Short mmCIF file of all heavy atoms in Angstrom, two decimals:
data_model
loop_
_atom_site.label_atom_id
_atom_site.label_comp_id
_atom_site.label_asym_id
_atom_site.label_seq_id
_atom_site.Cartn_x
_atom_site.Cartn_y
_atom_site.Cartn_z
N LEU A 1193 157.01 260.45 -66.97
CA LEU A 1193 155.90 261.09 -67.57
C LEU A 1193 156.19 261.47 -69.01
O LEU A 1193 157.38 261.68 -69.37
CB LEU A 1193 155.50 262.39 -66.80
CG LEU A 1193 155.03 262.27 -65.36
CD1 LEU A 1193 154.88 263.60 -64.76
CD2 LEU A 1193 153.72 261.51 -65.32
N LYS A 1195 155.70 264.38 -71.63
CA LYS A 1195 155.29 265.80 -71.76
C LYS A 1195 155.20 266.19 -73.16
O LYS A 1195 156.04 265.86 -73.94
CB LYS A 1195 156.32 266.64 -70.97
CG LYS A 1195 156.30 266.34 -69.46
CD LYS A 1195 157.21 267.30 -68.72
CE LYS A 1195 157.19 267.06 -67.27
NZ LYS A 1195 158.04 268.10 -66.50
N LYS A 1204 161.81 284.88 -72.65
CA LYS A 1204 160.68 284.49 -71.83
C LYS A 1204 159.36 285.04 -72.39
O LYS A 1204 158.32 284.36 -72.40
CB LYS A 1204 160.90 284.95 -70.41
CG LYS A 1204 159.87 284.34 -69.42
CD LYS A 1204 160.25 284.66 -68.05
CE LYS A 1204 159.32 284.05 -67.00
NZ LYS A 1204 159.72 284.29 -65.63
N THR A 1223 151.95 274.71 -69.14
CA THR A 1223 152.97 274.92 -68.04
C THR A 1223 154.21 275.48 -68.78
O THR A 1223 154.61 274.97 -69.80
CB THR A 1223 153.34 273.57 -67.39
OG1 THR A 1223 152.13 273.04 -66.76
CG2 THR A 1223 154.38 273.83 -66.30
N ARG A 1224 154.77 276.56 -68.22
CA ARG A 1224 156.03 277.05 -68.78
C ARG A 1224 157.06 276.66 -67.81
O ARG A 1224 157.07 276.83 -66.62
CB ARG A 1224 155.88 278.59 -68.84
CG ARG A 1224 155.23 279.11 -70.16
CD ARG A 1224 153.75 279.17 -69.98
NE ARG A 1224 153.43 280.40 -69.29
CZ ARG A 1224 152.29 280.66 -68.71
NH1 ARG A 1224 151.36 279.73 -68.59
NH2 ARG A 1224 152.05 281.82 -68.05
N ILE A 1225 158.18 276.17 -68.40
CA ILE A 1225 159.30 275.66 -67.61
C ILE A 1225 160.60 276.32 -68.08
O ILE A 1225 160.85 276.43 -69.28
CB ILE A 1225 159.46 274.16 -67.75
CG1 ILE A 1225 158.29 273.48 -67.11
CG2 ILE A 1225 160.70 273.63 -67.09
CD1 ILE A 1225 158.28 271.97 -67.26
N ARG A 1226 161.39 276.85 -67.09
CA ARG A 1226 162.65 277.36 -67.44
C ARG A 1226 163.76 276.25 -67.17
O ARG A 1226 163.87 275.79 -66.06
CB ARG A 1226 162.98 278.61 -66.62
CG ARG A 1226 164.39 279.16 -66.87
CD ARG A 1226 164.61 280.41 -65.99
NE ARG A 1226 164.55 280.13 -64.55
CZ ARG A 1226 165.51 279.66 -63.85
NH1 ARG A 1226 166.67 279.38 -64.38
NH2 ARG A 1226 165.33 279.43 -62.55
N GLU A 1227 164.50 275.93 -68.15
CA GLU A 1227 165.59 275.07 -68.00
C GLU A 1227 166.88 275.70 -68.55
O GLU A 1227 167.03 275.91 -69.73
CB GLU A 1227 165.39 273.68 -68.76
CG GLU A 1227 164.23 272.89 -68.11
CD GLU A 1227 163.98 271.61 -68.87
OE1 GLU A 1227 164.62 271.36 -69.90
OE2 GLU A 1227 163.24 270.74 -68.37
N GLY A 1228 167.74 276.13 -67.57
CA GLY A 1228 168.88 276.95 -68.00
C GLY A 1228 168.48 278.28 -68.55
O GLY A 1228 167.80 279.02 -67.94
N LEU A 1229 168.77 278.59 -69.81
CA LEU A 1229 168.40 279.80 -70.49
C LEU A 1229 167.29 279.67 -71.41
O LEU A 1229 166.90 280.60 -72.17
CB LEU A 1229 169.66 280.38 -71.21
CG LEU A 1229 170.86 280.71 -70.40
CD1 LEU A 1229 172.03 281.15 -71.20
CD2 LEU A 1229 170.55 281.75 -69.34
N ILE A 1230 166.62 278.51 -71.46
CA ILE A 1230 165.56 278.20 -72.40
C ILE A 1230 164.21 278.12 -71.70
O ILE A 1230 164.12 277.53 -70.59
CB ILE A 1230 165.77 276.86 -73.10
CG1 ILE A 1230 167.10 276.93 -73.91
CG2 ILE A 1230 164.65 276.56 -74.08
CD1 ILE A 1230 167.17 278.05 -75.00
N TYR A 1231 163.18 278.77 -72.27
CA TYR A 1231 161.83 278.68 -71.69
C TYR A 1231 160.95 277.78 -72.49
O TYR A 1231 160.81 278.01 -73.76
CB TYR A 1231 161.18 280.06 -71.64
CG TYR A 1231 161.99 281.04 -70.78
CD1 TYR A 1231 163.04 281.80 -71.33
CD2 TYR A 1231 161.76 281.14 -69.42
CE1 TYR A 1231 163.81 282.68 -70.50
CE2 TYR A 1231 162.52 282.02 -68.62
CZ TYR A 1231 163.48 282.76 -69.15
OH TYR A 1231 164.28 283.59 -68.36
N LYS A 1232 160.47 276.72 -71.94
CA LYS A 1232 159.72 275.72 -72.68
C LYS A 1232 158.18 275.83 -72.32
O LYS A 1232 157.81 276.05 -71.17
CB LYS A 1232 160.23 274.30 -72.38
CG LYS A 1232 161.70 274.10 -72.82
CD LYS A 1232 162.17 272.69 -72.49
CE LYS A 1232 163.59 272.54 -72.94
NZ LYS A 1232 164.09 271.16 -72.64
N GLN A 1234 154.73 273.64 -72.34
CA GLN A 1234 154.31 272.28 -72.44
C GLN A 1234 152.82 272.19 -72.07
O GLN A 1234 152.31 272.99 -71.32
CB GLN A 1234 155.13 271.42 -71.43
CG GLN A 1234 156.60 271.39 -71.79
CD GLN A 1234 157.45 270.59 -70.85
OE1 GLN A 1234 157.01 270.33 -69.74
NE2 GLN A 1234 158.61 270.21 -71.31
N ALA A 1263 160.12 262.27 -69.53
CA ALA A 1263 160.73 263.02 -68.41
C ALA A 1263 160.68 262.05 -67.16
O ALA A 1263 159.62 261.59 -66.80
CB ALA A 1263 160.05 264.26 -68.13
N VAL A 1264 161.79 261.95 -66.48
CA VAL A 1264 161.83 261.32 -65.18
C VAL A 1264 161.84 262.45 -64.11
O VAL A 1264 162.82 263.11 -63.93
CB VAL A 1264 163.06 260.45 -65.02
CG1 VAL A 1264 163.03 259.73 -63.64
CG2 VAL A 1264 163.10 259.42 -66.06
N VAL A 1265 160.69 262.71 -63.47
CA VAL A 1265 160.46 263.89 -62.75
C VAL A 1265 161.45 264.05 -61.58
O VAL A 1265 161.95 265.16 -61.30
CB VAL A 1265 159.05 263.92 -62.22
CG1 VAL A 1265 158.78 265.09 -61.29
CG2 VAL A 1265 158.04 263.94 -63.36
N GLU A 1266 161.80 263.01 -60.91
CA GLU A 1266 162.62 263.03 -59.75
C GLU A 1266 163.98 263.61 -60.02
O GLU A 1266 164.63 264.13 -59.18
CB GLU A 1266 162.70 261.70 -59.01
CG GLU A 1266 161.43 261.27 -58.32
CD GLU A 1266 160.57 260.47 -59.26
OE1 GLU A 1266 160.85 260.54 -60.47
OE2 GLU A 1266 159.55 259.87 -58.82
N THR A 1267 164.50 263.41 -61.23
CA THR A 1267 165.82 263.74 -61.55
C THR A 1267 166.02 265.14 -62.11
O THR A 1267 167.08 265.56 -62.45
CB THR A 1267 166.49 262.76 -62.47
OG1 THR A 1267 165.74 262.75 -63.72
CG2 THR A 1267 166.43 261.32 -61.93
N GLU A 1268 164.91 265.89 -62.35
CA GLU A 1268 165.05 267.26 -62.86
C GLU A 1268 165.66 268.22 -61.79
O GLU A 1268 165.12 268.26 -60.70
CB GLU A 1268 163.66 267.71 -63.32
CG GLU A 1268 163.15 266.97 -64.55
CD GLU A 1268 161.82 267.50 -64.98
OE1 GLU A 1268 161.29 268.44 -64.38
OE2 GLU A 1268 161.25 266.96 -65.92
N PRO A 1269 166.72 268.86 -62.10
CA PRO A 1269 167.38 269.72 -61.12
C PRO A 1269 166.49 270.95 -60.75
O PRO A 1269 166.18 271.71 -61.58
CB PRO A 1269 168.67 270.13 -61.77
CG PRO A 1269 168.37 270.04 -63.23
CD PRO A 1269 167.40 268.88 -63.39
N ASP A 1270 166.20 271.13 -59.42
CA ASP A 1270 165.38 272.22 -58.98
C ASP A 1270 166.04 273.54 -59.21
O ASP A 1270 165.36 274.55 -59.48
CB ASP A 1270 165.09 271.98 -57.44
CG ASP A 1270 164.20 270.82 -57.20
OD1 ASP A 1270 163.47 270.40 -58.19
OD2 ASP A 1270 164.21 270.30 -56.13
N ASP A 1271 167.36 273.62 -59.15
CA ASP A 1271 168.02 274.93 -59.31
C ASP A 1271 168.00 275.38 -60.70
O ASP A 1271 168.35 276.62 -60.96
CB ASP A 1271 169.48 274.85 -58.76
CG ASP A 1271 170.33 273.89 -59.56
OD1 ASP A 1271 169.70 272.97 -60.16
OD2 ASP A 1271 171.53 274.05 -59.53
N LYS A 1272 167.58 274.60 -61.65
CA LYS A 1272 167.62 275.06 -63.08
C LYS A 1272 166.15 275.09 -63.65
O LYS A 1272 165.99 275.29 -64.80
CB LYS A 1272 168.46 274.14 -63.90
CG LYS A 1272 169.94 274.22 -63.62
CD LYS A 1272 170.75 273.48 -64.56
CE LYS A 1272 172.23 273.59 -64.27
NZ LYS A 1272 173.05 272.76 -65.26
N LYS A 1273 165.25 274.82 -62.79
CA LYS A 1273 163.85 274.71 -63.25
C LYS A 1273 162.93 275.71 -62.51
O LYS A 1273 163.02 275.79 -61.34
CB LYS A 1273 163.31 273.29 -63.10
CG LYS A 1273 161.97 273.08 -63.78
CD LYS A 1273 161.55 271.66 -63.61
CE LYS A 1273 161.15 271.28 -62.20
NZ LYS A 1273 160.62 269.93 -62.12
N ASP A 1274 162.10 276.42 -63.23
CA ASP A 1274 161.12 277.28 -62.59
C ASP A 1274 159.79 277.07 -63.39
O ASP A 1274 159.61 277.48 -64.46
CB ASP A 1274 161.60 278.78 -62.86
CG ASP A 1274 160.61 279.75 -62.29
OD1 ASP A 1274 159.76 279.34 -61.51
OD2 ASP A 1274 160.69 280.99 -62.65
N THR A 1275 158.89 276.37 -62.67
CA THR A 1275 157.65 275.92 -63.29
C THR A 1275 156.42 276.61 -62.74
O THR A 1275 156.33 276.77 -61.53
CB THR A 1275 157.47 274.35 -63.08
OG1 THR A 1275 158.62 273.76 -63.59
CG2 THR A 1275 156.24 273.93 -63.83
N TYR A 1276 155.55 277.04 -63.60
CA TYR A 1276 154.27 277.67 -63.15
C TYR A 1276 153.21 277.31 -64.13
O TYR A 1276 153.43 277.34 -65.37
CB TYR A 1276 154.44 279.17 -62.92
CG TYR A 1276 154.92 279.94 -64.04
CD1 TYR A 1276 154.10 280.56 -64.95
CD2 TYR A 1276 156.32 280.06 -64.20
CE1 TYR A 1276 154.61 281.27 -66.02
CE2 TYR A 1276 156.84 280.84 -65.23
CZ TYR A 1276 155.98 281.37 -66.15
OH TYR A 1276 156.45 282.20 -67.21
N VAL A 1314 155.83 283.50 -55.13
CA VAL A 1314 156.98 283.27 -56.03
C VAL A 1314 157.45 284.53 -56.72
O VAL A 1314 158.62 284.68 -57.12
CB VAL A 1314 156.65 282.21 -57.10
CG1 VAL A 1314 156.50 280.84 -56.48
CG2 VAL A 1314 155.36 282.61 -57.88
N HIS A 1315 156.55 285.53 -56.92
CA HIS A 1315 156.93 286.80 -57.50
C HIS A 1315 156.15 287.95 -56.93
O HIS A 1315 154.98 287.80 -56.60
CB HIS A 1315 156.78 286.74 -59.03
CG HIS A 1315 157.69 285.83 -59.69
ND1 HIS A 1315 159.04 285.99 -59.80
CD2 HIS A 1315 157.40 284.65 -60.43
CE1 HIS A 1315 159.53 285.01 -60.46
NE2 HIS A 1315 158.61 284.14 -60.82
#
Side-chain angles (χ1 to χ4, degrees):
L1193 295 174
K1195 296 185 175 183
K1204 189 173 186 178
T1223 299
R1224 276 89 78 200
I1225 295 177
R1226 176 178 62 84
E1227 293 182 353
L1229 298 177
I1230 300 300
Y1231 299 91
K1232 298 180 178 180
Q1234 298 177 342
V1264 181
V1265 176
E1266 290 86 349
T1267 62
E1268 293 181 359
D1270 292 336
D1271 62 337
K1272 292 186 178 180
K1273 187 177 71 173
D1274 179 15
T1275 304
Y1276 51 95
V1314 293
H1315 293 293

